Coordinates of all heavy atoms in Angstrom, one line a residue:
E126 N 4.6 13.6 11.8 CA 4.1 14.5 12.8 C 5.3 15.2 13.4 O 6.4 14.9 13.3 CB 3.6 13.5 14.0 CG 2.3 12.8 13.6 CD 1.8 11.8 14.7 OE1 2.6 10.9 15.0 OE2 0.7 12.1 15.2
S127 N 4.9 16.3 14.1 CA 5.9 17.1 14.8 C 6.2 16.6 16.1 O 5.5 15.8 16.6 CB 5.3 18.6 14.9 OG 4.3 18.6 15.8
A128 N 7.3 17.0 16.7 CA 7.7 16.6 18.1 C 6.7 16.9 19.1 O 6.5 16.1 20.0 CB 9.0 17.2 18.4
Q129 N 6.0 18.0 18.9 CA 5.0 18.4 19.9 C 3.8 17.4 19.9 O 3.2 17.0 21.0 CB 4.5 19.8 19.7 CG 5.5 20.9 20.0 CD 6.6 21.0 19.0 OE1 6.5 20.6 17.9 NE2 7.7 21.6 19.5
Q130 N 3.3 17.0 18.6 CA 2.3 16.1 18.5 C 2.6 14.8 19.1 O 1.9 14.2 19.8 CB 1.9 15.9 17.0 CG 1.2 17.1 16.4 CD 1.0 16.9 14.8 OE1 2.0 16.6 14.1 NE2 -0.2 16.9 14.5
I131 N 3.8 14.3 18.9 CA 4.3 13.0 19.5 C 4.3 13.1 21.0 O 4.0 12.2 21.7 CB 5.7 12.6 18.9 CG1 5.5 12.5 17.4 CG2 6.1 11.4 19.6 CD1 6.8 12.2 16.7
K132 N 4.7 14.3 21.5 CA 4.8 14.5 23.0 C 3.4 14.5 23.6 O 3.3 13.8 24.7 CB 5.5 15.8 23.3 CG 5.4 16.3 24.7 CD 6.3 15.5 25.6 CE 6.4 16.0 27.0 NZ 7.1 15.2 27.9
M133 N 2.5 15.0 22.9 CA 1.1 14.9 23.5 C 0.6 13.5 23.5 O -0.1 13.1 24.5 CB 0.2 15.8 22.6 CG 0.4 17.3 22.7 SD -0.5 18.2 21.5 CE -2.2 17.9 21.8
R134 N 0.8 12.7 22.5 CA 0.5 11.3 22.4 C 1.2 10.6 23.5 O 0.6 9.7 24.2 CB 0.6 10.7 21.1 CG 0.1 9.4 21.0 CD 0.5 8.7 19.7 NE -0.2 9.5 18.6 CZ 0.1 9.3 17.4 NH1 1.1 8.5 17.0 NH2 -0.5 9.9 16.3
A135 N 2.5 10.8 23.6 CA 3.3 10.1 24.7 C 2.9 10.4 26.0 O 2.8 9.5 26.9 CB 4.7 10.5 24.5
E136 N 2.4 11.5 26.4 CA 1.9 11.9 27.7 C 0.6 11.1 28.1 O 0.3 10.9 29.1 CB 1.7 13.4 27.9 CG 3.0 14.2 28.0 CD 2.8 15.6 28.2 OE1 1.6 16.0 27.9 OE2 3.7 16.4 28.6
R137 N -0.1 10.9 27.0 CA -1.4 10.1 27.2 C -1.1 8.6 27.5 O -1.9 8.0 28.2 CB -2.4 10.3 26.0 CG -3.7 9.7 26.2 CD -4.5 10.0 25.0 NE -4.2 9.2 23.8 CZ -3.8 9.6 22.7 NH1 -3.5 10.8 22.5 NH2 -3.5 8.7 21.8
I138 N -0.2 8.2 26.7 CA 0.2 6.7 26.8 C 1.0 6.4 28.1 O 0.7 5.6 29.0 CB 1.0 6.3 25.6 CG1 0.1 6.4 24.4 CG2 1.4 4.9 25.8 CD1 0.7 6.2 23.0
Q139 N 2.2 7.0 28.2 CA 3.1 6.8 29.3 C 3.9 8.0 29.4 O 4.8 8.5 28.7 CB 4.1 5.7 29.0 CG 5.1 5.3 30.1 CD 5.8 4.1 29.9 OE1 5.4 3.2 28.9 NE2 7.0 3.9 30.5
P140 N 3.7 8.9 30.7 CA 4.3 10.2 30.8 C 5.8 10.2 30.9 O 6.4 11.1 30.3 CB 3.7 10.7 32.1 CG 2.4 9.9 32.3 CD 2.7 8.5 31.7
V141 N 6.4 9.2 31.4 CA 7.9 9.3 31.8 C 8.6 8.1 31.0 O 8.2 7.0 31.0 CB 8.1 9.1 33.3 CG1 9.6 9.1 33.5 CG2 7.5 10.2 34.0
S142 N 9.7 8.5 30.2 CA 10.5 7.5 29.5 C 11.7 8.2 29.3 O 11.9 9.2 28.7 CB 9.9 7.0 28.3 OG 10.7 6.1 27.6
E143 N 12.8 7.6 29.8 CA 14.2 8.2 29.7 C 14.9 7.6 28.5 O 16.0 8.0 28.1 CB 15.1 8.0 31.0 CG 14.4 8.7 32.2 CD 14.4 10.1 32.0 OE1 15.3 10.8 31.3 OE2 13.5 10.8 32.5
N144 N 14.5 6.5 27.9 CA 15.1 5.8 26.8 C 14.6 6.1 25.4 O 15.2 5.6 24.4 CB 15.0 4.3 27.1 CG 15.7 3.8 28.4 OD1 16.8 4.3 28.7 ND2 15.1 2.9 29.0
C145 N 13.6 6.9 25.3 CA 13.0 7.1 24.0 C 13.4 8.5 23.6 O 13.2 9.5 24.2 CB 11.4 7.1 24.1 SG 10.7 7.2 22.4
Y146 N 14.1 8.6 22.3 CA 14.5 9.8 21.7 C 13.6 10.0 20.4 O 13.4 9.1 19.7 CB 16.0 9.7 21.3 CG 16.8 9.7 22.4 CD1 17.1 8.4 23.1 CD2 17.6 10.8 22.8 CE1 17.9 8.4 24.2 CE2 18.5 10.8 24.0 CZ 18.6 9.6 24.6 OH 19.5 9.5 25.8
I147 N 13.1 11.3 20.2 CA 12.3 11.6 19.1 C 13.0 12.4 18.1 O 13.7 13.5 18.5 CB 11.0 12.4 19.6 CG1 10.2 11.6 20.6 CG2 10.1 12.7 18.4 CD1 9.7 10.3 20.2
L148 N 12.9 12.1 16.9 CA 13.6 12.9 15.7 C 12.6 13.1 14.7 O 12.0 12.2 14.2 CB 14.8 12.1 15.3 CG 15.5 12.7 14.0 CD1 16.1 14.0 14.3 CD2 16.6 11.7 13.5
T149 N 12.3 14.3 14.3 CA 11.5 14.6 13.2 C 12.3 15.0 12.0 O 12.9 16.0 11.9 CB 10.5 15.7 13.5 OG1 11.3 16.9 13.9 CG2 9.5 15.4 14.6
E150 N 12.5 14.0 11.0 CA 13.3 14.2 9.9 C 12.9 13.2 8.8 O 12.4 12.1 9.2 CB 14.8 13.8 10.3 CG 15.9 14.0 9.2 CD 15.9 15.5 8.6 OE1 16.2 16.4 9.4 OE2 15.5 15.6 7.5
T151 N 13.1 13.6 7.5 CA 12.8 12.7 6.5 C 14.0 12.3 5.5 O 13.9 11.4 4.8 CB 11.8 13.4 5.5 OG1 12.2 14.7 5.1 CG2 10.4 13.6 6.3
K152 N 15.1 13.1 5.6 CA 16.2 12.8 4.7 C 17.1 11.8 5.5 O 17.4 11.9 6.6 CB 17.1 14.0 4.5 CG 18.2 13.8 3.6 CD 19.2 15.0 3.4 CE 18.4 16.2 2.7 NZ 19.4 17.3 2.5
T153 N 17.4 10.7 4.8 CA 18.1 9.5 5.4 C 19.6 10.0 5.8 O 20.0 9.5 6.8 CB 18.2 8.4 4.4 OG1 18.8 8.8 3.2 CG2 16.8 7.8 4.1
Q154 N 20.2 10.8 5.1 CA 21.5 11.3 5.4 C 21.5 11.9 6.8 O 22.4 11.7 7.6 CB 22.1 12.3 4.3 CG 22.6 11.6 3.0 CD 21.4 11.1 2.2 OE1 20.3 11.6 2.3 NE2 21.7 10.1 1.3
N155 N 20.6 12.8 7.0 CA 20.4 13.5 8.4 C 20.1 12.5 9.4 O 20.6 12.6 10.6 CB 19.5 14.6 8.4 CG 19.9 15.7 7.5 OD1 21.1 15.8 7.1 ND2 18.9 16.6 7.0
I156 N 19.2 11.4 9.1 CA 18.9 10.4 10.1 C 20.1 9.6 10.5 O 20.4 9.4 11.7 CB 17.7 9.5 9.5 CG1 16.5 10.3 9.3 CG2 17.6 8.3 10.4 CD1 15.5 9.5 8.6
F157 N 21.0 9.2 9.6 CA 22.2 8.4 9.9 C 23.1 9.3 10.6 O 23.9 8.8 11.5 CB 22.8 7.9 8.6 CG 22.0 6.8 7.9 CD1 21.7 6.7 6.6 CD2 21.4 5.8 8.7 CE1 21.0 5.8 6.0 CE2 20.6 4.8 8.1 CZ 20.5 4.8 6.8
R158 N 23.2 10.6 10.4 CA 24.1 11.4 11.2 C 23.7 11.5 12.6 O 24.4 11.5 13.5 CB 24.0 12.9 10.6 CG 25.2 13.7 11.1 CD 25.2 15.0 10.3 NE 25.4 14.9 9.0 CZ 24.5 15.3 8.0 NH1 23.3 15.8 8.4 NH2 24.8 15.2 6.8
N159 N 22.3 11.5 12.8 CA 21.8 11.5 14.3 C 22.0 10.2 14.9 O 22.2 10.1 16.2 CB 20.3 12.0 14.2 CG 20.2 13.4 14.1 OD1 20.3 14.2 15.1 ND2 19.9 13.9 12.8
I160 N 21.9 9.1 14.1 CA 22.1 7.7 14.6 C 23.5 7.7 15.2 O 23.7 6.9 16.2 CB 21.8 6.7 13.5 CG1 20.2 6.6 13.4 CG2 22.3 5.3 13.9 CD1 19.8 5.8 12.2
E161 N 24.5 8.1 14.4 CA 25.8 8.1 14.8 C 26.1 8.8 16.2 O 26.9 8.3 17.0 CB 26.8 8.6 13.8 CG 26.9 7.7 12.6 CD 28.0 8.2 11.5 OE1 28.7 9.2 12.0 OE2 28.0 7.7 10.4
E162 N 25.4 9.9 16.3 CA 25.6 10.7 17.6 C 24.8 10.0 18.8 O 25.3 10.0 19.8 CB 25.0 12.1 17.3 CG 25.8 12.9 16.3 CD 25.2 14.3 16.1 OE1 24.2 14.6 16.7 OE2 25.8 15.0 15.3
T163 N 23.7 9.5 18.4 CA 22.7 8.9 19.5 C 23.1 7.5 19.9 O 23.0 7.1 21.1 CB 21.3 9.1 19.2 OG1 21.0 10.3 18.7 CG2 20.4 8.7 20.3
E164 N 23.5 6.6 18.9 CA 23.9 5.3 19.0 C 22.7 4.6 19.7 O 22.9 3.9 20.9 CB 25.2 5.1 19.8 CG 26.4 5.7 19.3 CD 27.6 5.4 20.0 OE1 27.5 4.9 21.1 OE2 28.8 5.7 19.5
P165 N 21.6 4.5 19.1 CA 20.4 3.8 19.7 C 20.5 2.3 19.5 O 21.2 1.8 18.7 CB 19.3 4.4 18.9 CG 19.8 4.6 17.5 CD 21.2 5.1 17.8
D166 N 19.8 1.7 20.4 CA 19.7 0.1 20.3 C 18.6 -0.4 19.3 O 18.8 -1.5 18.7 CB 19.4 -0.5 21.7 CG 20.5 -0.1 22.6 OD1 21.7 -0.2 22.3 OD2 20.2 0.2 23.8
I167 N 17.5 0.5 19.2 CA 16.4 0.2 18.3 C 16.0 1.5 17.5 O 16.0 2.5 18.2 CB 15.2 -0.4 19.1 CG1 15.6 -1.7 19.7 CG2 14.1 -0.6 18.1 CD1 14.5 -2.4 20.5
V168 N 15.6 1.3 16.3 CA 15.2 2.5 15.4 C 13.9 2.2 14.9 O 13.6 1.1 14.4 CB 16.2 2.8 14.3 CG1 15.8 3.9 13.4 CG2 17.6 3.1 14.9
V169 N 12.9 3.2 15.1 CA 11.6 3.1 14.5 C 11.4 4.3 13.5 O 11.7 5.4 13.8 CB 10.6 3.2 15.6 CG1 9.1 3.2 15.1 CG2 10.8 2.2 16.7
I170 N 11.0 3.8 12.3 CA 10.7 4.8 11.2 C 9.3 4.9 11.0 O 8.5 4.0 10.6 CB 11.5 4.4 9.9 CG1 13.0 4.1 10.1 CG2 11.3 5.5 8.9 CD1 13.8 5.4 10.6
D171 N 8.7 6.1 11.1 CA 7.4 6.4 10.9 C 7.1 7.6 9.9 O 7.2 8.7 10.3 CB 6.7 6.8 12.2 CG 5.1 6.9 12.0 OD1 4.6 6.6 11.0 OD2 4.5 7.5 13.0
S172 N 7.0 7.3 8.6 CA 6.9 6.0 7.9 C 7.9 5.9 6.8 O 8.5 7.0 6.4 CB 5.4 5.9 7.4 OG 5.2 6.8 6.4
I173 N 8.1 4.7 6.2 CA 9.0 4.6 5.1 C 8.6 5.4 3.8 O 9.5 5.8 3.0 CB 9.2 3.1 4.8 CG1 10.3 2.9 3.7 CG2 7.8 2.5 4.4 CD1 11.6 3.2 4.2
Q174 N 7.3 5.7 3.7 CA 6.9 6.4 2.5 C 7.3 7.9 2.6 O 7.2 8.6 1.6 CB 5.4 6.3 2.3 CG 4.9 4.9 1.6 CD 4.9 3.8 2.5 OE1 5.0 4.0 3.8 NE2 4.7 2.7 2.0
T175 N 7.7 8.4 3.8 CA 8.0 9.9 4.0 C 9.5 10.0 3.8 O 9.9 11.3 3.7 CB 7.5 10.3 5.2 OG1 8.2 9.6 6.3 CG2 6.0 10.2 5.4
L176 N 10.3 9.1 3.8 CA 11.7 9.1 3.6 C 12.3 9.5 2.2 O 11.5 9.0 1.2 CB 12.4 7.9 4.2 CG 12.2 7.6 5.7 CD1 13.2 6.5 6.1 CD2 12.4 8.7 6.6
H177 N 13.3 10.2 2.1 CA 14.0 10.4 0.8 C 15.4 10.5 1.0 O 15.9 10.8 2.1 CB 13.4 11.7 0.1 CG 13.7 13.0 0.8 ND1 14.9 13.6 0.5 CD2 13.2 13.6 1.9 CE1 14.9 14.8 1.3 NE2 13.8 14.6 2.1
T178 N 16.2 10.3 -0.1 CA 17.6 10.3 -0.1 C 18.1 11.3 -1.2 O 17.3 11.5 -2.1 CB 18.2 8.9 -0.2 OG1 19.6 9.0 -0.4 CG2 17.6 8.2 -1.5
D179 N 19.3 11.8 -1.0 CA 19.8 12.7 -2.1 C 20.3 11.9 -3.2 O 20.5 12.6 -4.3 CB 21.0 13.5 -1.4 CG 20.6 14.5 -0.4 OD1 19.4 14.9 -0.5 OD2 21.4 14.9 0.4
H180 N 20.3 10.7 -3.2 CA 20.9 10.0 -4.3 C 19.8 9.7 -5.4 O 20.2 9.4 -6.5 CB 21.4 8.6 -3.9 CG 22.4 8.6 -2.7 ND1 22.4 7.7 -1.7 CD2 23.4 9.5 -2.5 CE1 23.2 8.0 -0.8 NE2 23.9 9.2 -1.3
I181 N 18.6 9.9 -5.1 CA 17.4 9.8 -6.0 C 16.7 11.1 -6.1 O 16.4 11.7 -5.0 CB 16.4 8.7 -5.6 CG1 17.2 7.4 -5.4 CG2 15.3 8.5 -6.5 CD1 17.7 6.8 -6.7
E182 N 16.4 11.7 -7.3 CA 15.8 13.0 -7.4 C 14.3 12.9 -7.4 O 13.6 14.0 -7.4 CB 16.3 13.7 -8.7 CG 17.7 14.2 -8.5 CD 18.1 15.1 -9.6 OE1 17.3 15.3 -10.6 OE2 19.1 15.8 -9.5
S183 N 13.7 11.8 -7.4 CA 12.2 11.7 -7.4 C 11.6 12.0 -6.0 O 12.4 12.1 -5.1 CB 11.8 10.2 -7.8 OG 12.3 9.3 -6.9
S184 N 10.3 12.3 -6.1 CA 9.8 12.6 -4.8 C 9.6 11.6 -3.7 O 9.6 10.4 -4.0 CB 8.4 13.2 -5.1 OG 7.5 12.3 -5.6
A185 N 9.4 11.9 -2.5 CA 9.2 10.9 -1.4 C 8.0 10.1 -1.7 O 6.9 10.6 -2.0 CB 9.2 11.6 0.0
G186 N 8.1 8.8 -1.4 CA 7.0 7.9 -1.6 C 7.0 7.3 -2.9 O 6.1 6.4 -3.1
S187 N 7.8 7.6 -3.8 CA 7.9 7.0 -5.1 C 8.6 5.7 -5.1 O 9.3 5.3 -4.0 CB 8.6 7.9 -6.2 OG 9.9 8.1 -5.7
I188 N 8.4 4.9 -6.1 CA 9.0 3.5 -6.1 C 10.5 3.5 -5.9 O 11.0 2.7 -5.1 CB 8.6 2.8 -7.4 CG1 7.1 2.7 -7.7 CG2 9.2 1.4 -7.5 CD1 6.5 1.9 -6.7
S189 N 11.2 4.4 -6.6 CA 12.7 4.4 -6.5 C 13.1 4.9 -5.1 O 14.1 4.4 -4.5 CB 13.2 5.3 -7.6 OG 12.7 6.5 -7.7
Q190 N 12.4 5.9 -4.5 CA 12.8 6.4 -3.2 C 12.5 5.3 -2.1 O 13.5 5.1 -1.3 CB 12.0 7.7 -2.9 CG 12.4 8.9 -3.6 CD 13.7 9.5 -3.0 OE1 14.3 8.8 -2.1 NE2 14.2 10.6 -3.4
I191 N 11.5 4.7 -2.2 CA 11.2 3.6 -1.1 C 12.3 2.5 -1.3 O 12.8 2.0 -0.3 CB 9.8 3.1 -1.4 CG1 8.7 4.1 -1.0 CG2 9.5 1.8 -0.5 CD1 7.3 3.7 -1.3
R192 N 12.5 2.1 -2.5 CA 13.5 1.1 -2.6 C 14.9 1.4 -2.2 O 15.5 0.6 -1.5 CB 13.5 0.6 -4.1 CG 14.3 -0.6 -4.4 CD 14.0 -1.1 -5.8 NE 13.9 -0.1 -6.8 CZ 13.5 -0.2 -8.1 NH1 12.8 -1.2 -8.3 NH2 13.4 0.8 -8.9
E193 N 15.3 2.7 -2.5 CA 16.7 3.2 -2.2 C 16.8 3.4 -0.7 O 17.8 3.0 -0.1 CB 16.9 4.4 -2.9 CG 18.4 5.1 -2.7 CD 19.5 4.1 -3.3 OE1 19.2 3.3 -4.2 OE2 20.5 4.0 -2.8
T194 N 15.8 4.0 0.0 CA 15.9 4.3 1.4 C 15.8 3.0 2.2 O 16.6 2.8 3.2 CB 14.7 5.2 1.8 OG1 13.4 4.7 1.4 CG2 14.9 6.6 1.2
T195 N 15.0 2.0 1.8 CA 15.0 0.7 2.4 C 16.3 0.0 2.2 O 16.7 -0.6 3.3 CB 13.8 -0.1 1.9 OG1 12.6 0.6 1.9 CG2 13.7 -1.4 2.6
T196 N 16.9 0.1 1.2 CA 18.3 -0.5 1.0 C 19.2 0.1 2.0 O 20.1 -0.6 2.6 CB 18.7 -0.4 -0.5 OG1 17.7 -0.9 -1.4 CG2 20.1 -1.0 -0.6
E197 N 19.2 1.4 2.1 CA 20.2 2.0 3.0 C 19.9 1.6 4.5 O 20.8 1.3 5.3 CB 20.0 3.5 2.9 CG 20.5 4.1 1.6 CD 20.4 5.6 1.5 OE1 20.0 6.3 2.5 OE2 20.7 6.2 0.5
L198 N 18.6 1.5 4.9 CA 18.4 1.0 6.3 C 18.7 -0.4 6.4 O 19.1 -0.8 7.6 CB 16.8 1.2 6.4 CG 16.3 2.7 6.6 CD1 14.9 2.8 6.6 CD2 16.9 3.3 7.8
I199 N 18.6 -1.2 5.4 CA 18.9 -2.6 5.5 C 20.4 -2.8 5.7 O 21.0 -3.6 6.6 CB 18.5 -3.5 4.3 CG1 17.0 -3.7 4.2 CG2 19.2 -4.8 4.3 CD1 16.5 -4.3 2.9
K200 N 21.2 -2.0 5.0 CA 22.7 -2.0 5.2 C 23.1 -1.5 6.6 O 23.9 -2.2 7.2 CB 23.3 -1.0 4.1 CG 24.9 -1.1 4.1 CD 25.3 -0.2 3.0 CE 26.9 -0.2 3.1 NZ 27.5 0.7 2.0
F201 N 22.4 -0.5 7.1 CA 22.6 0.0 8.4 C 22.3 -1.1 9.5 O 23.1 -1.4 10.4 CB 22.0 1.3 8.7 CG 21.6 1.5 10.2 CD1 22.6 2.0 11.0 CD2 20.4 1.3 10.7 CE1 22.4 2.1 12.4 CE2 20.2 1.5 12.1 CZ 21.1 1.9 12.9
A202 N 21.2 -1.8 9.3 CA 20.7 -2.7 10.3 C 21.6 -3.9 10.3 O 22.0 -4.4 11.4 CB 19.3 -3.2 10.0
K203 N 22.0 -4.4 9.2 CA 22.9 -5.6 9.1 C 24.3 -5.4 9.7 O 24.9 -6.2 10.3 CB 22.9 -6.2 7.7 CG 21.6 -6.5 7.1 CD 20.8 -7.5 8.0 CE 19.4 -7.9 7.4 NZ 18.6 -8.6 8.3
E204 N 24.9 -4.2 9.4 CA 26.2 -3.8 9.7 C 26.4 -3.5 11.3 O 27.4 -3.7 11.7 CB 26.7 -2.7 8.8 CG 27.1 -3.1 7.4 CD 27.7 -2.0 6.6 OE1 27.8 -0.9 7.3 OE2 27.9 -2.1 5.5
T205 N 25.3 -3.0 11.8 CA 25.4 -2.5 13.2 C 24.6 -3.5 14.1 O 24.6 -3.2 15.4 CB 24.8 -1.1 13.4 OG1 23.5 -1.1 13.0 CG2 25.6 -0.2 12.5
A206 N 23.9 -4.5 13.6 CA 23.0 -5.5 14.4 C 22.0 -4.7 15.3 O 21.6 -5.0 16.3 CB 23.9 -6.3 15.3
T207 N 21.4 -3.6 14.6 CA 20.5 -2.7 15.2 C 19.1 -3.1 14.6 O 18.9 -2.9 13.4 CB 20.7 -1.2 15.1 OG1 22.0 -1.0 15.6 CG2 19.7 -0.4 15.8
P208 N 18.1 -3.6 15.4 CA 16.8 -3.8 14.7 C 16.1 -2.5 14.3 O 16.1 -1.5 15.0 CB 16.0 -4.5 15.9 CG 16.7 -4.2 17.1 CD 18.2 -3.8 16.7
V209 N 15.5 -2.5 13.1 CA 14.8 -1.3 12.5 C 13.3 -1.7 12.3 O 13.1 -2.8 11.7 CB 15.5 -0.8 11.3 CG1 14.7 0.3 10.8 CG2 16.9 -0.4 11.6
I210 N 12.4 -0.9 12.8 CA 11.0 -1.2 12.7 C 10.4 0.0 11.6 O 10.6 1.1 11.9 CB 10.2 -1.1 14.0 CG1 10.7 -2.2 14.8 CG2 8.7 -1.4 13.7 CD1 10.1 -2.1 16.2

Side-chain angles (χ1 to χ4, degrees):
E126 297 176 294
S127 65
Q129 288 75 21
Q130 287 177 300
I131 299 173
K132 170 68 173 177
M133 290 170 60
R134 183 186 298 166
E136 287 182 341
R137 189 177 74 245
I138 298 172
Q139 184 175 337
V141 179
S142 177
E143 298 297 329
N144 295 320
C145 184
Y146 294 78
I147 305 298
L148 174 64
T149 54
E150 182 59 65
T151 57
K152 187 188 290 189
T153 56
Q154 284 73 23
N155 296 339
I156 292 172
F157 289 136
R158 193 177 299 116
N159 283 279
I160 285 175
E161 288 187 9
E162 296 175 0
T163 311
E164 296 182 352
D166 299 318
I167 296 175
V168 177
V169 179
I170 306 292
D171 183 12
S172 64
I173 186 62
Q174 279 82 10
T175 62
L176 297 191
H177 66 93
T178 177
D179 288 340
H180 309 140
I181 303 293
E182 286 194 349
S183 57
S184 60
S187 61
I188 300 294
S189 52
Q190 282 285 7
I191 293 175
R192 188 164 47 197
E193 183 66 26
T194 53
T195 305
T196 303
E197 294 182 6
L198 289 168
I199 288 175
K200 185 178 180 183
F201 156 73
K203 302 304 179 186
E204 289 184 357
T205 62
T207 303
V209 178
I210 302 175

